[in-house]
Amino acid sequence: MDQAEGLRRMRARKPVKVIAVASGKGGVGKTNVVVNLAIALAQLGARPLVFDADLGLGNIDILLGLSPRYNLSHVLSGERRIDEVLVRGPQDILILPAASGIANMAILDAQARAALVHAVSSLDLAVDFLLIDTAAGIAGDVLTFSCAAQDLMVVVSNEPASITDAYALIKVLSRDYGQRRFRILPNMVRDAREGQLLFQRVAAVADRYLDVTLDLVGSIPLDPALRGAVRAQRAVVELYPSSPAAGAFRALAHTVRNWPMPQGPSGHLEFFVEQLVGGSSVVQGA
């Protein structure tokens, strides 16, 4: 494809809202949030693509009981095109599966990252949301994806390590990479009040030491239905649609759907790719 054709196709595409979902600590339910948010958005008529960006320990396919034959490692090796790796999940959501248990996928250099994101941008798909499930922590890939996305949602649970690590992630992204706005999602809380108090704890420290804006986007209750859905390898919004957790995910989907869609070239996947490739070199040199 020549440059003129590439530009023509870019202008013809509709804007895509790119949202990275991160957490300072593992075990806070981040991947569950991504899966259920994607399905809830699809139930509202949106067309989400889920990018499992936990490149060495991806598990979205496991959470949904899928068995993809290929994954991102096959794209990077040149064995498969990226469209051959995509799998369909519930409500016809599209999933780009990561490798699991392949160590070198977790330590990609800048060139490999560039190849990966260019492969993502080559997808000619009618999607309007790209949800990126990052790895936990503050490793290079997490920072790269977080900086490139238009919105960053930080998932936090009500335990000291989760709160401390969520603050550490926000601090690094704001201090070293100029990120100023963060969406905060309390997860596994008893009720909305506990979610509000948890948000206030994070915001109080951030307001004191950082120049950032934190937005509370809702909260997800600790619901036995979630455990049952995980055991059944199903999304709670499908398996237990009347559960409190499913209701919270639907409310979150409504909130996310109402976020402004990007306008102009910055709203296309190509711009996301440019940001991602540029961010890779910055993070590599950090």
Side-chain angles (χ1 to χ4, degrees), residues 19 37 41 44-46 129 252-261:
I19 303 169
L37 174 58
L41 282 169
L44 293 176
F129 286 92
L252 177 63
H254 278 283
T255 298
V256 169
R257 190 181 61 167
N258 289 329
W259 291 350
M261 292 295 287

Side-chain angles (χ1 to χ4, degrees), residues 45-56:
R47 296 161 298 183
L49 167 62
V50 175
F51 181 6
D52 192 344
D54 191 344
L55 298 178

Side-chain angles (χ1 to χ4, degrees), residues 25-50:
K25 177 184 177 296
V28 300
K30 171 179 54 62
T31 298
N32 226 328
V33 167
V34 172
V35 165
N36 281 281
L37 174 58
I39 295 173
L41 282 169
Q43 291 172 339
L44 293 176
R47 296 161 298 183
L49 167 62
V50 175

Side-chain angles (χ1 to χ4, degrees), residues 17 19-22 150-156 170 180-186 199 213-218 252 255-256 258-260:
K17 188 69 173 173
I19 303 169
V21 182
Q150 297 148 359
D151 282 282
L152 173 62
M153 185 186 302
V154 179
V155 180
V156 59
I170 294 168
R180 292 290 175 260
R181 185 168 191 169
F182 301 83
R183 316 276 193 176
I184 307 299
L185 179 68
F199 169 76
T213 298
L214 303 187
D215 298 324
L216 177 64
V217 297
L252 177 63
T255 298
V256 169
N258 289 329
W259 291 350

Side-chain angles (χ1 to χ4, degrees), residues 32 36 39-40 43 63-64 90-91 220-221 223-250:
N32 226 328
N36 281 281
I39 295 173
Q43 291 172 339
L63 202 59
L64 290 174
Q91 296 290 319
I220 310 298
D223 185 346
L226 275 169
R227 291 194 295 272
V230 169
R231 285 194 297 268
Q233 294 182 289
R234 298 276 302 279
V236 73
V237 293
E238 280 208 321
L239 188 59
Y240 301 112
S242 300
S243 65
F249 281 121
R250 286 194 295 270

Side-chain angles (χ1 to χ4, degrees), residues 83-105:
D83 59 294
E84 297 175 313
V85 170
L86 283 172
V87 294
R88 288 193 180 273
Q91 296 290 319
D92 271 345
I93 66 170
L94 289 172
I95 301 166
L96 191 55
S100 182
I102 300 178
N104 62 357
M105 284 294 293

Side-chain angles (χ1 to χ4, degrees), residues 1-13 265 268 270 274:
M1 183 192 308
D2 60 25
Q3 184 176 10
E5 174 63 13
L7 288 173
R8 186 194 68 76
R9 288 179 61 176
M10 182 183 75
R11 295 189 185 102
R13 292 182 183 178
H268 297 282
E270 287 81 355
E274 291 174 6

Side-chain angles (χ1 to χ4, degrees), residues 156-158 163 186-187 189 194-202:
V156 59
S157 64
N158 197 7
I163 297 168
N187 191 29
V189 293
E194 183 180 9
Q196 178 72 44
L197 292 173
L198 175 55
F199 169 76
Q200 290 173 354
R201 289 179 65 184
V202 178

